[in-house]
Amino acid sequence: DIQMTQSPSSVSASVGDRVTITCRASQGISNWLAWYQQKPGKAPKLLIYAASSLQTGVPSRFSGSGSGTDFTLTISSLQPEDFATYYCQQAYSFPYSFGQGTELENK
Amino acid sequence: EVQLVESGGGLVQPGGSLRLSCAASGFTFSSYAMSWVRQAPGEGLEWVSTIIHSGGSTYHADSVKGRFTISRDNSKDTLYLQMNSLRAEDTAVYYCARLTHHSYGYGDYWGQGTLVTVSS
């Protein structure tokens, strides 16, 4: 089974900051990776799929990169509505798996 | 508009059973794989099960294999999760999600979730 490890587990940042979150797969997954945003009490929202493709309707300040085992999610200029928890997920093989999440907090 | 509405959650005793449903609308249900994902209180997301568009193949996490069964009725546009031999650690909000392809993919639409509590 493929394990997904995110870092950091939490990050404090301010509006306007550039934020980067990392996700590492325990084995190569090509570009079969998604990033989700989740706010308290809400369902996850797909932000990025296929490692770097922006889901329709997602602001362009979100971007993803990587291939193989190492991936990043970058928010270029943090907005107030971006404070949330972010998860990566591999869709390379079953069982699918998520990272443990990164909580993005307001500094 | 794509909509996914889960139902069937509630309080159940350890060892009991529950069947969750996810009613889909706004898209051709039979063309997409579907998944169940759960989230224990205060914890992260855990993938539970996936079923391909036709229902011909299913996949389950090791943590639920042999106890949970995912199924679908394409004539009713409904996804199911039959949960047997429930344990305290199955307590979670259960989400259904549409995947981006017919047999695999990413969750592009999600329901609002239904809470399952396993407790005596």
Side-chain angles (χ1 to χ4, degrees):
Chain A
D1 296 359
I2 299 172
Q3 313 303 318
M4 307 300 293
T5 304
Q6 286 181 235
S7 60
S9 296
S10 64
V11 56
S12 294
S14 301
V15 172
D17 285 352
R18 180 182 181 90
V19 173
T20 298
I21 298 168
T22 296
C23 179
R24 174 165 289 176
S26 60
Q27 65 186 74
I29 59 170
S30 185
N31 68 336
W32 287 95
L33 185 100
W35 289 97
Y36 299 88
Q37 175 193 68
Q38 188 181 33
K39 296 181 178 179
K42 299 295 186 181
K45 173 186 175 183
L46 180 65
L47 300 176
I48 301 285
Y49 64 93
S52 60
S53 295
L54 195 66
Q55 176 68 353
T56 302
V58 174
S60 58
R61 62 181 180 273
F62 292 93
S63 64
S65 65
S67 183
T69 60
D70 294 314
F71 303 87
T72 59
L73 172 69
T74 299
I75 310 172
S76 60
S77 178
L78 203 59
Q79 297 302 300
E81 60 269 30
D82 299 337
F83 294 103
T85 301
Y86 293 83
Y87 295 91
C88 62
Q89 181 232 326
Q90 66 84 14
Y92 179 78
S93 67
F94 292 105
Y96 286 176
S97 46
F98 290 89
Q100 79 279 15
T102 296
E103 185 175 6
L104 178 50
E105 302 171 318
N106 196 346
K107 187 184 290 183
Chain B
E1 178 195 5
V2 172
Q3 282 199 319
L4 298 170
V5 179
E6 301 97 337
S7 61
L11 175 63
V12 61
Q13 292 188 339
S17 298
L18 214 54
R19 188 177 84 156
L20 305 183
S21 299
C22 172
S25 61
F27 67 100
T28 304
F29 181 70
S30 60
S31 295
Y32 293 87
M34 299 290 296
S35 287
W36 289 98
V37 175
R38 69 184 180 183
Q39 186 168 36
E43 302 295 323
L45 300 173
E46 179 186 13
W47 172 82
V48 174
S49 303
T50 295
I51 186 167
I52 70 168
H53 66 111
S54 64
S57 291
T58 62
Y59 307 89
H60 295 85
D62 287 345
S63 58
V64 306
K65 203 171 291 182
R67 301 187 299 123
F68 290 13
T69 302
I70 189 172
S71 63
R72 65 192 296 160
D73 186 336
N74 286 344
S75 68
K76 295 183 178 179
D77 292 347
T78 303
L79 175 73
Y80 302 100
L81 185 67
Q82 177 66 44
M83 304 187 295
N84 298 331
S85 303
L86 282 160
R87 306 167 180 167
E89 55 264 36
D90 296 319
T91 294
V93 174
Y94 285 74
Y95 296 100
C96 66
R98 187 186 85 166
L99 300 192
T100 48
H101 297 79
H102 55 80
S103 298
Y104 53 88
Y106 313 98
D108 60 352
Y109 288 93
W110 296 65
Q112 82 289 351
T114 187
L115 176 63
V116 172
T117 302
V118 184
S119 175
S120 55

